Amino acid sequence: MNMHAQIPCHSRESGNPGGPGAQLRRLLGPRFRGDDTRNVGGRRSGEDGFTLVELMVVIVILGLLATVVVINIAPATDKAAVTKVRADISTLEQGVEMYRLSKMNYPSGDGLQALVAEGFVKRLPDDPWGNPYRYETPGRDGAPFSIFSLGADGREGGEDEDADIGNW
């Protein structure tokens, strides 16, 4: 009795529809054999799409996530604007002090433009709300000068993001 059975191997050269890939194609199923098993609706069986309800649920979830992100980012934007104002004012203060050390007095008539003209700052930035920084000499509360922004509303006074921010 022969213990070793031979597995027939068909090749394309011999005209037999087998070959080494035939077993693989049988294992992978009808999609890879080229069989087109379409049902009445025109879809292949097992390939259902998304329903309108499923799509609506996904859209609602994405909307909720976007809302949460916007709510958490909005206050950070306000804090960033205040931080930028403080950094700009600090830079301008240094320019005014360098001007004073060089000229023995604070800028007067030209204000902050004198800092650019004399090369103490490269350019005058605007505040985050697009308004120019203000300069007063003498400054508030007995200070020799004041540099400030009028806030988001562009008017003196105000609260929160409309509040004036200065070196006082």
Side-chain angles (χ1 to χ4, degrees):
M1 185 172 200
N2 188 357
M3 299 289 289
H4 299 287
Q6 288 189 345
I7 299 173
C9 181
H10 303 286
S11 67
R12 291 186 182 200
E13 289 83 23
S14 64
N16 294 329
Q23 288 180 341
L24 181 62
R25 285 192 298 276
R26 275 194 297 276
L27 289 173
L28 293 176
R31 295 175 90 191
F32 294 98
R33 282 199 308 255
D35 296 348
D36 194 9
T37 56
R38 293 188 183 266
N39 58 19
V40 179
R43 290 182 154 160
R44 291 183 182 184
S45 60
E47 291 186 24
D48 294 331
F50 295 108
T51 65
L52 180 60
V53 173
E54 292 170 329
L55 290 174
M56 294 296 284
V57 167
V58 169
I59 290 170
V60 167
I61 290 171
L62 289 174
L64 290 172
L65 288 173
T67 303
V68 167
V69 167
V70 167
I71 288 172
N72 288 326
I73 288 179
T77 305
D78 296 339
K79 289 178 186 174
V82 171
T83 302
K84 181 190 181 310
V85 169
R86 294 197 189 285
D88 287 347
I89 288 174
S90 177
T91 301
L92 294 173
E93 275 184 305
Q94 291 173 2
V96 168
E97 288 299 329
M98 289 175 19
Y99 183 95
R100 183 187 64 83
L101 292 172
S102 174
K103 304 289 184 182
M104 298 301 188
N105 62 355
Y106 290 103
S108 56
D110 293 338
L112 296 176
Q113 290 295 334
L115 301 178
V116 177
E118 295 292 326
F120 294 109
V121 293
K122 289 183 180 180
R123 62 176 183 81
L124 291 178
D126 286 336
D127 68 11
W129 304 282
N131 301 316
Y133 287 101
R134 305 289 178 108
Y135 172 80
E136 292 177 350
T137 185
R140 297 182 184 183
D141 299 328
F145 67 93
S146 292
I147 301 172
F148 58 97
S149 166
L150 295 177
D153 63 355
R155 290 181 278 162
E156 288 201 31
E159 295 180 9
D160 297 327
E161 72 175 37
D162 291 337
D164 299 347
I165 304 167
N167 64 337
W168 51 81

